[in-house]
Structures are given as C-alpha cells and as structure tokens.
Amino acid sequence: MSTFEKLPRHVAIIMDGNGRWAKKHKLKVAMGHRQGTEALRSIIRESSDLGIEALSLYAFSTENWKREAQEVEALMGLILEFFASEIDELDEKNVCIRILGDKDGLPQRQRDVLYDAEERTGQNTGLKLNIAINYGGRAEIVRASQALAKKALAGEIKPEEIDEAMLARELYTKDLPDVDLLIRTSGEMRLSNFLLYQCAYAEFLFPEVLWPDFDLAAYHEALHAFGNRERRFGGR
Ligand code: FPP
C-alpha cells in the first residue's frame, strides 16, 4: 500500500475515453462504457479504502442526451446494473451516495433506483460518493440562483446577504468541501460543464490514459502528483 504526501479531501473525475477505448479494441461503444464501469468500481473501492472524504464522478451530462439512442440506452442500462450489483457492498462500506443533477428528468426506473440509493445510504458516514447524472454545472448554478431569488421574494433573506457560502448551500454539493483535485482522463483538457463553481481552486490533472484503462496505479500516480503540488489559493 502506497503512502501519500497529502490526500485530497474531494476528488472529481471526468471519465473520458470510453468510446475511443471501444474503437481501439474494435468493439461497440457500449462495451467501452461497460469496461468503464469496471474502472469506476475499483476507483470507488480504492477511494473508500484510502479514506478520501468525497469522490464525484461525471457519469452522464445534460448534453449526453444528444448521443445516438442506442448509446444513451446502453448508459441508462449500465446505471441500473451498477446500482443493482453494487448497492449492498457500498452500503456495507458505509458509503453515502448522492446524485448530482436532475433525477426527475430521467426515465422512471433509473429515477426510482437513484432515489432508493440515496435514501438507503443517506445516513452513512464513510466516503461521500457523488454521481453526476443528467448534470450540468451552469444549470446547477441557475437552479441555485432561482432558489435564492424565491427566498428573497418570500422575505426569508435579503439580496445583499447573499454571499458565496449561501450560494454554495443551494448547490447539489451543499455541505461538501470544494473540489481539490479534478482528473480528466484521455488527454482532453476541458471542464465540460462539470462542477464549475466547486472547481474554483482545484488542481487539474489530465492523464493520457483512456478511462477503462485507468487502474489503481494510474490513480495512485494522480494522487502523488496532487500531493507534490503547491497550492496557494491566490496567495504567495
Ligand atoms: C465519456 O467517454 C464517458 C461517458 C459519457 C460516460 C461515463 C459513464 C461510465 C463510465 C459508466 C456509467 C456510469 C455508471 C454510474 C454506471 P466518451 O464516450 O465520450 O469517450 P470518447 O470521447 O472516447 O468517445
């Protein structure tokens, strides 16, 4: 077992490269996502074992609906399969699951499974596992702004009382620490509308490896790279 210089409290991952992995292996794109789900299982387990406080994974963005129906269906199917096969172990490991994004915009079966997972594990005190599904960072900020506007109109708050912390409390990630480390696999260097507000001071890492090949060695390497970075948060 590796020892780490300094572990991030909150790791966020954009799991990119499933499609290219499938192409490279001459397989259908759905098989890339299936293999990507295996990587996701082991990274969740490892994060829990290492005692990382929060792990946020980008599984399905609000823009992913534009993909071919077959691919969207495959991803929706994998979400059901994942929760059916993992929920007992995650609950046993004291993992607290939270879905980031608009669950109500999902098909009924997925919606039910996600609400159940949140309810079943909501009191757990181990790894905070956030899975972004039907999620967009800008939409999240708009939603928070609307919630604050409603409170102001109802006289519960004054507009000038709104500060960064108050807005953060209206985000899906309320009560979680800011993202310390953002990893995007496959060499792409974009944020793609993921956790825009929460990544303000995150360290970014862009390993070349495609997501299905992101193994524990690659994860450890990223954690060491984070531990060796000097963070100044705008100071000297
Ligand atoms: C990006 O790769 C990945 C996605 C859009 C989906 C990620 C989903 C999973 C890993 C599994 C499903 C999630 C759960 C919770 C079971 P891409 O297809 O854009 O890759 P490409 O850029 O190489 O085409």
Side-chain angles (χ1 to χ4, degrees), residues 35-75:
Q35 200 60 33
T37 308
E38 293 307 316
L40 165 146
R41 281 184 228 276
S42 75
I43 296 305
I44 294 173
R45 211 168 284 143
E46 181 68 359
S47 303
S48 165
D49 291 348
L50 288 173
I52 285 174
E53 185 175 335
L55 174 68
S56 297
L57 301 165
Y58 207 1
F60 194 89
S61 75
T62 44
E63 286 71 39
N64 286 152
W65 295 111
K66 290 187 233 156
R67 296 194 177 192
E68 278 186 29
Q70 228 183 3
E71 183 176 355
V72 171
E73 249 169 59
L75 282 166

Side-chain angles (χ1 to χ4, degrees), residues 15-20 33 36-37 40 58-59 64 67 71 75 78-79 82 131 211:
M15 308 180 284
D16 199 5
N18 293 346
R20 275 162 286 168
H33 293 311
T37 308
L40 165 146
Y58 207 1
N64 286 152
R67 296 194 177 192
E71 183 176 355
L75 282 166
L78 281 172
I79 289 170
F82 173 80
I131 306 187
W211 174 250

